[in-house]
Amino acid sequence: MKKLINKPEDVVKESLAGVAAAHADLVKVHFDPNFIVRADAPVQGKVGIVSGGGSGHEPMHGGFVGKGMLDAACPGDVFTSPTPDQMEAATKAVNGGAGVLHIVKNYTGDVMNFEMAAELCQAEGIEVESVVIDDDVAVQDSLYTAGRRGVGTTVLAEKICGAAAERGDDLKTVADICRKVNANGRSMGMALTSCTVPMAGKPTFDIGPDEMEIGIGIHGEPGRERMKIKTAKEIVEMMGEAIVSDLPFKSGDQVIAMVNGMGGTPLIELYLVYNELNQFLKGKGITIARRLVGNYITSLEMAGCSITLLKADDQLLELWDAPVHTPALRWGV
Amino acid sequence: MKKLINKPEDVVKESLAGVAAAHADLVKVHFDPNFIVRADAPVQGKVGIVSGGGSGHEPMHGGFVGKGMLDAACPGDVFTSPTPDQMEAATKAVNGGAGVLHIVKNYTGDVMNFEMAAELCQAEGIEVESVVIDDDVAVQDSLYTAGRRGVGTTVLAEKICGAAAERGDDLKTVADICRKVNANGRSMGMALTSCTVPMAGKPTFDIGPDEMEIGIGIHGEPGRERMKIKTAKEIVEMMGEAIVSDLPFKSGDQVIAMVNGMGGTPLIELYLVYNELNQFLKGKGITIARRLVGNYITSLEMAGCSITLLKADDQLLELWDAPVHTPALRWGV
Amino acid sequence: MVSRDDVLAWIDELQKVYAANRQYLTDLDSAIGDADHGINMDRGFTTAKAELEKTPPADINAALKTVAMALIRTVGGAAGPLYGTFFMRAAAACANKQELDAADVVALFEAGLAGVIQRGKAELNDKTMVDALSPALEAMKQALQNGHGIKEMLQSATEAAETGMKNTIPLKARKGRASYLGDRSIGHQDPGATSSYLMIKTAADLWS
Amino acid sequence: MVSRDDVLAWIDELQKVYAANRQYLTDLDSAIGDADHGINMDRGFTTAKAELEKTPPADINAALKTVAMALIRTVGGAAGPLYGTFFMRAAAACANKQELDAADVVALFEAGLAGVIQRGKAELNDKTMVDALSPALEAMKQALQNGHGIKEMLQSATEAAETGMKNTIPLKARKGRASYLGDRSIGHQDPGATSSYLMIKTAADLWS
Ligand SMILES: Nc1ncnc2c1ncn2[C@@H]1O[C@H](COP(=O)(O)OP(=O)(O)O)[C@@H](O)[C@H]1O
Ligand SMILES: Nc1ncnc2c1ncn2[C@@H]1O[C@H](COP(=O)(O)OP(=O)(O)O)[C@@H](O)[C@H]1O
Ligand SMILES: [Mg+2]
Ligand SMILES: [Mg+2]
Ligand SMILES: [Mg+2]
Ligand SMILES: [Mg+2]
């Protein structure tokens, strides 16, 4: 394992210390329990937004804490759900009296830990709503299973809900907007290489020098299919078809598109993928109204990318365009 | 070779097409010869700033084109200097009558090609000044050699000179500020893995599973020393000492610091490195006044990082804080 | 009868059992999950034990509550809330009891399992810890009805849990991380069912 | 005498020579540079030849200028500006000449080399193309003084270039990419010196 770290067990703590030192103007980092809050939290009268999940997906979520996006993020160990005490403390820290929204990615651990935290907070009189994001079309959805994983749409939901909260929407409205984003967002990912969890010390999965994994999760969970590597064009068509046909997105739709790097893929390739996606969607009569190209929800140093499309109406676009000022996303400020 | 590409020979062109599609509000991309200009170029009466170099270092330079930074960037093939016709066309496209500054990284090829372009432009009556950035302390400096390589300080110089030009400084002043940045900036890099140039198809160098290369260049050129991998703390101390002792930076100095990823290293590690750097500099009495943590000047998918320190006075900090609006760097707008 | 000290001995022993089975449970989880179940259980019970030593609990209820909070705070993932809820509900079932008779022990497990099911919404044969806990509870109830003592009761529960654990092997997972694997989850023993089996077996070894 | 057609034949042949030596020059560059010199030269002369075919040049000056512009536009790196400048200056030295005699050929190479030195600021023994070009020019001048014809003159130039090229092997690079290697550049033949030797040898094979 080759990493720029000291001891594997200290990675999360020391990285958080780096975030604290680098972004003292934007965020405060609390240790034991670990969470990151806006420097000006709690904002009185504003709905608070808390998210969180395992570490190793940076900049998500800590990089999205700040004005116009998250009020707090709870980082767990690498690829491990945070615990209810973190979420409870974070929720209390950001509660400005208007209630708190928990944005949760659909993994059994995340869902149950957030659920316990919500119960603890509600027991103390804080109004909490939870929205679970489950946008990964690579996973078969079913009432009888854990359902789809929460991936790229989470980033878009955090931005959009953050804007809604910032302009003063109430808890129910912000939660409804979050559900709307989840209902209209779809993602799929692929990997060229594995990642290595620091504590594990070896790659999560083996993959041949000419293979790729399509439909992979953000923790290196196996995907839909292992196959021989293809061209960027073919990969985009494969993932694009799966995404577009699922909602389905239709000719005439406007979308917010994200071409997201898994951590180890350089920007020159992500822009090349964006070019293919743009062509592909044009061919379907779908217009990219806004976009993100870069590393936003990663799997440590995994090489690969994911594509997220969110069908967007004027309401969502207006919220998307609203000012945001976080370590990883900034505009209008 | 595993990459998200179509044909190796089309990587630069197709990636540029992606940039054009993604950032039409900020930049225009010209093909044959290839260059990227601000959407509103030429800005009348403003000094134009042109940079460029081989591709594979994204977001540098194309990601830094926009208000408050570069007027144009000329991307060569991967790790290959662009040619004078690109620079000439870019220089003409951004000349608003106040002359054009060429910011050149010190590689023989880049220097000579920019020199020829400057001669061509001057022959047509455009005032051109050139500043060569040579900040890599890993390379022994000498009058009798090609001198030090230009690396991380280039990013800071482009930001700061862009701000100077934007506020209306004249060509000589902007060029002098660029020289001042170069004189006060020092960098050093290290790699855990090699990168693979698409046209070459195989890694640029071999490196053992427990080795790292200290003092590496941004094209995978060998560095000062190949050694067994160390902790982040030891690596930062090694690179930090080399940088600090070179200028030298002294107790009481304020710096702009950049912890830069080489492309394949995840953000969680870069923040951990930033934490170590912050501790290290504190121990020397040096204060980090501003910072960047992320991928800014990369070597394709190489894993590793570089550290850049720029001794900053009020003038440089004011220019640093000025608004910038480019695909990769944005604040104040 | 099960005293406060018996409960403490159980937690003490569970810490040793999960430390000893850390690698085994993690290997099971690496086949169909994310290779951390043993690490998680070890961490959780090491903390639980340390907390109990730091602040000795007044009674069984306090002991189980301390365990619950330790698991909730330090285990994370799926197992943290599930076992945390198990012990939280178990604690509530023992409120104001200085000692537990056989019926109280059944009540403890019944409340715990109800919590797990409410939290995780798993049904029998979803390939989870419920597949070990649920048959164990049935066996306890049967034994209680048959007038067996705590020892025998827990022994038949252990046998039922072991059978339930082994029965997870051919199942296709429908809950938790393993469910993403679909058919590829078939042929592997569920790590959570295994840790649940160990929990019951350890009680059977100690209590009488 | 060297005619316009002789010059065109030279470029034509150079294209073949660099195509044939593409891998060889690239391998030399991979030892102490970035493994592209053969690719660069091949690309440059393929373009030069194509441009000359597309727009046949009026005279020697025009032919060399076309080559210069093709190299400048398509070679990039260090070799592009250096060889580009070589041909640009060579073209200027041939202005208004329909044919070149021995002295004109010397003047062509002298102007070209001066351009390379002005552009690259390399001195003898810096381990660059100058180490092949400079002794070749000296040999030409000597041969001219001795009253030799173009053929013999270029033959001694070729020998001198070859010796100069081989002499780069023990040198430590002080210019270009190879200089970053310091002592590790010792023991390898310079790729640019090699392409320069090929350039002169090809002229010697064709011109008389
Ligand atoms: N919804 C659920 N209900 C009951 N048990 C579950 C559920 N989801 C997962 N489990 C149990 O949790 C175990 C995995 O625990 P662990 O590895 O610690 O958590 P994670 O999967 O978050 O890494 C599984 O083997 C299974 O027995
Ligand atoms: N300053 C210089 N003066 C003369 N020749 C040089 C100089 N720098 C480099 N060269 C020549 O250029 C050759 C390398 O050319 P090439 O590989 O095409 O360019 P690059 O090094 O930019 O990849 C070297 O072998 C050397 O002969
Ligand atoms: Mg886990
Ligand atoms: Mg697990
Ligand atoms: Mg080269
Ligand atoms: Mg080159």
Side-chain angles (χ1 to χ4, degrees):
Chain A
M1 175 179 60
K2 281 185 166 191
K3 290 181 183 292
L4 293 169
I5 63 173
N6 296 307
K7 281 185 270 156
E9 56 271 33
D10 294 336
V11 168
V12 171
K13 192 181 66 189
E14 294 180 356
S15 185
L16 286 175
V19 170
H23 303 294
D25 53 329
L26 294 177
V27 302
K28 274 198 219 110
V29 179
H30 287 256
F31 294 92
D32 283 320
N34 295 347
F35 60 95
I36 303 177
V37 286
R38 275 172 70 151
D40 60 351
V43 182
Q44 288 309 323
K46 188 184 90 66
V47 169
I49 305 186
V50 175
S51 191
S55 292
H57 306 301
E58 291 67 24
M60 187 182 80
H61 299 272
F64 301 141
V65 175
K67 195 167 153 35
M69 209 159 169
L70 295 180
D71 291 84
C74 304
D77 273 338
V78 173
F79 292 176
T80 300
S81 163
T83 51
D85 54 321
Q86 294 174 256
M87 300 150 186
E88 184 194 1
T91 302
K92 286 182 183 163
V94 307
N95 177 32
V100 177
L101 174 67
H102 288 179
I103 301 182
V104 185
K105 300 193 298 304
N106 190 33
Y107 299 93
T108 304
D110 291 53
V111 169
M112 292 194 295
N113 282 288
F114 263 105
E115 224 171 74
M116 297 197 78
E119 290 168 16
L120 291 169
C121 294
Q122 279 151 350
E124 299 201 40
I126 303 176
E127 207 186 345
V128 174
E129 278 242 31
S130 299
V131 176
V132 175
I133 306 290
D134 56 349
D135 61 319
D136 190 345
V137 303
V139 176
Q140 205 64 42
D141 197 8
S142 154
L143 267 181
Y144 306 103
T145 67
R148 288 181 157 172
R149 299 175 293 218
V151 287
T153 299
T154 315
V155 176
L156 311 186
E158 292 176 1
K159 165 65 189 86
I160 287 168
C161 295
E166 206 72 47
R167 75 177 175 193
D169 287 5
D170 65 19
L171 181 57
K172 194 187 160 308
T173 308
V174 178
D176 282 343
I177 290 172
C178 197
R179 284 182 203 103
K180 174 173 165 179
V181 170
N182 186 48
N184 288 284
R186 294 292 186 276
S187 301
M188 190 157 166
M190 58 82 57
L192 294 170
T193 65
S194 176
C195 50
T196 298
V197 176
M199 290 287 282
K202 52 178 198 230
T204 304
F205 58 89
D206 290 319
I207 186 162
D210 58 347
E211 289 179 327
M212 62 178 182
E213 180 87 31
I214 291 281
I216 197 149
I218 54 172
H219 310 95
E221 311 95 298
R224 271 195 187 185
E225 215 180 326
R226 175 73 59 97
M227 55 172 81
K228 294 274 170 253
I229 190 165
K230 294 189 187 296
T231 65
K233 191 185 182 64
E234 289 165 327
I235 292 168
V236 166
E237 278 167 3
M238 209 167 6
M239 297 209 290
E241 283 296 350
I243 292 169
V244 166
S245 64
D246 190 276
L247 190 64
F249 294 86
K250 293 188 299 286
S251 181
D253 281 353
Q254 289 206 94
V255 298
I256 301 175
M258 178 166 74
V259 169
N260 170 64
M262 292 305 216
T265 282
L267 211 47
I268 191 170
E269 296 178 30
L270 296 181
Y271 275 110
L272 193 152
V273 168
Y274 181 78
N275 183 47
E276 293 298 343
L277 179 64
N278 188 43
Q279 306 283 337
F280 171 80
L281 292 178
K282 256 192 196 154
K284 302 248 169 213
I286 298 166
T287 310
I288 301 180
R290 305 288 188 278
R291 81 282 306 147
L292 288 178
V293 182
N295 292 324
Y296 295 99
I297 165 171
T298 61
S299 298
L300 295 170
E301 72 280 50
M302 189 186 276
C305 72
S306 67
I307 293 172
T308 297
L309 299 183
L310 167 62
K311 183 172 161 174
D313 56 15
D314 288 347
Q315 180 199 32
L316 296 187
L317 289 178
E318 186 189 326
L319 290 165
W320 181 258
D321 290 339
V324 60
H325 189 181
T326 70
L329 217 59
R330 179 174 181 175
W331 57 73
V333 199
Chain B
M1 175 179 62
K2 282 185 167 191
K3 290 182 184 292
L4 293 169
I5 62 173
N6 296 309
K7 281 185 268 155
E9 56 270 34
D10 293 336
V11 168
V12 170
K13 192 181 66 190
E14 293 180 356
S15 184
L16 285 175
V19 170
H23 303 294
D25 53 329
L26 295 176
V27 302
K28 273 197 219 111
V29 179
H30 286 256
F31 294 93
D32 282 321
N34 295 348
F35 61 95
I36 302 176
V37 286
R38 275 172 70 152
D40 58 351
V43 182
Q44 288 309 321
K46 188 184 89 67
V47 169
I49 306 187
V50 175
S51 191
S55 292
H57 307 300
E58 290 69 23
M60 188 181 79
H61 299 273
F64 301 140
V65 175
K67 193 164 151 40
M69 211 159 167
L70 295 179
D71 291 84
C74 304
D77 273 339
V78 173
F79 292 175
T80 301
S81 164
T83 51
D85 54 321
Q86 294 176 255
M87 299 150 187
E88 185 195 358
T91 303
K92 285 181 182 164
V94 307
N95 178 31
V100 176
L101 174 67
H102 287 177
I103 301 182
V104 186
K105 299 195 298 306
N106 190 33
Y107 299 93
T108 305
D110 291 53
V111 170
M112 292 194 296
N113 282 287
F114 263 105
E115 225 171 73
M116 297 197 78
E119 290 168 16
L120 292 169
C121 294
Q122 278 151 351
E124 298 202 40
I126 302 177
E127 209 186 344
V128 174
E129 279 241 32
S130 300
V131 176
V132 175
I133 305 290
D134 55 350
D135 62 318
D136 189 346
V137 304
V139 176
Q140 205 64 43
D141 197 7
S142 154
L143 269 181
Y144 307 103
T145 67
R148 288 180 157 171
R149 299 174 293 217
V151 287
T153 299
T154 315
V155 177
L156 311 186
E158 292 176 0
K159 165 66 188 86
I160 288 169
C161 294
E166 206 73 46
R167 76 177 174 194
D169 287 4
D170 64 18
L171 181 57
K172 193 187 160 308
T173 307
V174 178
D176 282 343
I177 290 172
C178 197
R179 284 182 203 104
K180 175 175 164 178
V181 170
N182 187 47
N184 288 285
R186 294 291 186 278
S187 299
M188 190 157 167
M190 59 80 59
L192 294 171
T193 65
S194 176
C195 50
T196 298
V197 176
M199 289 288 280
K202 51 175 199 232
T204 304
F205 58 89
D206 290 320
I207 186 161
D210 59 347
E211 289 181 327
M212 62 178 181
E213 180 88 31
I214 292 280
I216 198 150
I218 54 172
H219 310 94
E221 311 95 298
R224 272 197 185 183
E225 215 179 325
R226 175 73 59 98
M227 56 173 80
K228 293 273 169 255
I229 191 166
K230 293 189 188 297
T231 64
K233 189 184 182 64
E234 290 164 328
I235 292 168
V236 167
E237 279 168 1
M238 209 166 9
M239 298 209 290
E241 284 295 350
I243 292 169
V244 166
S245 64
D246 190 276
L247 190 65
F249 294 85
K250 293 187 300 283
S251 180
D253 280 353
Q254 289 205 93
V255 298
I256 301 175
M258 178 167 74
V259 169
N260 170 65
M262 293 304 218
T265 282
L267 210 47
I268 192 170
E269 296 178 30
L270 296 180
Y271 275 109
L272 193 152
V273 168
Y274 180 79
N275 183 45
E276 293 299 343
L277 179 65
N278 188 42
Q279 306 283 337
F280 171 80
L281 292 177
K282 257 192 194 152
K284 303 250 170 214
I286 299 165
T287 311
I288 300 180
R290 305 288 188 278
R291 82 282 306 147
L292 288 178
V293 182
N295 293 325
Y296 295 99
I297 163 171
T298 61
S299 298
L300 295 169
E301 73 280 53
M302 188 186 277
C305 73
S306 67
I307 293 172
T308 297
L309 299 182
L310 167 61
K311 185 173 160 174
D313 56 15
D314 288 347
Q315 180 200 30
L316 296 187
L317 289 178
E318 187 190 324
L319 290 166
W320 181 258
D321 290 338
V324 59
H325 190 180
T326 70
L329 218 58
R330 178 172 183 177
W331 58 72
V333 199
Chain C
M1 297 293 269
V2 173
S3 67
R4 187 201 73 131
D5 286 356
D6 291 331
V7 169
L8 290 180
W10 182 44
I11 304 304
D12 212 67
E13 189 59 26
L14 279 177
Q15 185 271 318
K16 290 184 196 128
V17 165
Y18 289 130
N21 287 281
R22 181 183 160 107
Q23 195 58 49
Y24 170 55
L25 292 171
T26 298
D27 288 347
L28 289 177
D29 196 27
S30 90
I32 55 170
D34 59 350
D36 63 359
H37 189 58
I39 302 169
N40 295 343
M41 296 304 285
D42 183 21
R43 184 174 61 239
F45 278 86
T46 301
T47 312
K49 188 185 157 187
E51 302 263 307
L52 287 172
E53 275 165 11
K54 213 173 61 187
T55 330
D59 54 15
I60 294 175
N61 169 277
L64 295 175
K65 232 189 219 161
T66 300
V67 174
M69 287 315 298
L71 298 183
I72 289 169
R73 268 210 332 279
T74 64
V75 175
L82 289 168
Y83 281 121
T85 304
F86 181 96
F87 279 93
M88 195 60 95
R89 296 294 178 84
C94 302
N96 306 320
K97 306 230 161 158
Q98 292 313 309
E99 282 195 327
L100 310 178
D101 61 19
D104 294 332
V105 169
V106 174
L108 180 159
F109 278 96
E110 184 156 30
L113 174 59
V116 167
I117 289 171
Q118 197 191 339
R119 181 67 62 206
K121 299 183 185 62
E123 293 175 15
L124 212 56
N125 296 329
D126 279 356
K127 198 178 182 110
T128 71
M129 56 178 68
V130 170
D131 294 337
L133 292 172
S134 186
L137 179 67
E138 289 313 311
M140 278 187 217
K141 284 184 175 167
Q142 192 62 53
L144 185 70
Q145 229 167 36
N146 296 350
H148 293 176
I150 291 178
K151 189 94 196 164
E152 300 94 308
M153 184 180 90
L154 286 175
Q155 266 158 0
S156 28
T158 302
E159 279 159 36
E162 186 171 11
T163 307
M165 168 185 94
K166 289 192 176 144
N167 284 345
T168 63
I169 298 178
L171 293 175
K172 173 166 152 180
R174 284 189 301 214
K175 280 286 181 300
R177 230 170 251 289
S179 68
Y180 301 137
L181 285 173
D183 288 339
R184 285 151 89 179
S185 68
I186 292 171
H188 301 277
Q189 182 171 310
D190 181 60
T194 311
S195 57
S196 285
Y197 155 73
L198 291 170
M199 187 172 286
I200 291 161
K201 179 179 185 311
T202 304
D205 290 346
L206 292 172
W207 294 352
S208 57
Chain D
M1 297 294 269
V2 173
S3 68
R4 189 200 73 130
D5 285 358
D6 292 331
V7 169
L8 291 180
W10 183 42
I11 304 304
D12 213 67
E13 189 60 24
L14 279 177
Q15 185 271 316
K16 290 184 194 128
V17 165
Y18 289 129
N21 287 280
R22 182 185 159 105
Q23 195 58 49
Y24 170 53
L25 292 171
T26 298
D27 288 346
L28 289 176
D29 196 27
S30 90
I32 56 170
D34 59 349
D36 63 359
H37 189 58
I39 302 168
N40 295 343
M41 296 303 286
D42 183 21
R43 183 174 61 238
F45 277 86
T46 301
T47 313
K49 189 186 157 185
E51 301 264 306
L52 287 172
E53 276 166 9
K54 211 174 64 188
T55 331
D59 54 15
I60 294 175
N61 169 279
L64 295 176
K65 234 190 217 159
T66 300
V67 174
M69 287 314 298
L71 298 183
I72 289 169
R73 270 210 331 279
T74 64
V75 175
L82 289 167
Y83 282 121
T85 305
F86 182 96
F87 279 92
M88 194 58 95
R89 296 297 177 83
C94 303
N96 306 319
K97 307 229 162 164
Q98 293 311 311
E99 283 195 327
L100 310 178
D101 61 18
D104 293 334
V105 169
V106 173
L108 179 159
F109 277 99
E110 184 157 29
L113 174 58
V116 167
I117 289 172
Q118 198 192 339
R119 181 68 61 206
K121 299 183 186 61
E123 292 174 17
L124 212 56
N125 297 327
D126 278 357
K127 198 177 183 114
T128 71
M129 57 178 66
V130 170
D131 294 336
L133 292 172
S134 186
L137 179 67
E138 289 314 309
M140 280 186 214
K141 283 184 175 169
Q142 193 62 53
L144 185 68
Q145 230 169 35
N146 296 347
H148 294 174
I150 291 177
K151 188 94 197 166
E152 299 95 307
M153 187 180 86
L154 287 175
Q155 267 158 0
S156 27
T158 303
E159 279 159 35
E162 186 171 11
T163 307
M165 168 185 94
K166 289 193 175 145
N167 283 345
T168 62
I169 298 178
L171 294 176
K172 173 166 151 179
R174 285 189 303 216
K175 281 284 181 302
R177 229 171 252 287
S179 68
Y180 301 136
L181 285 173
D183 288 341
R184 285 151 89 178
S185 67
I186 292 170
H188 300 277
Q189 182 172 312
D190 181 60
T194 310
S195 59
S196 285
Y197 154 73
L198 291 170
M199 186 172 286
I200 291 161
K201 180 180 185 312
T202 304
D205 290 348
L206 291 173
W207 293 354
S208 58

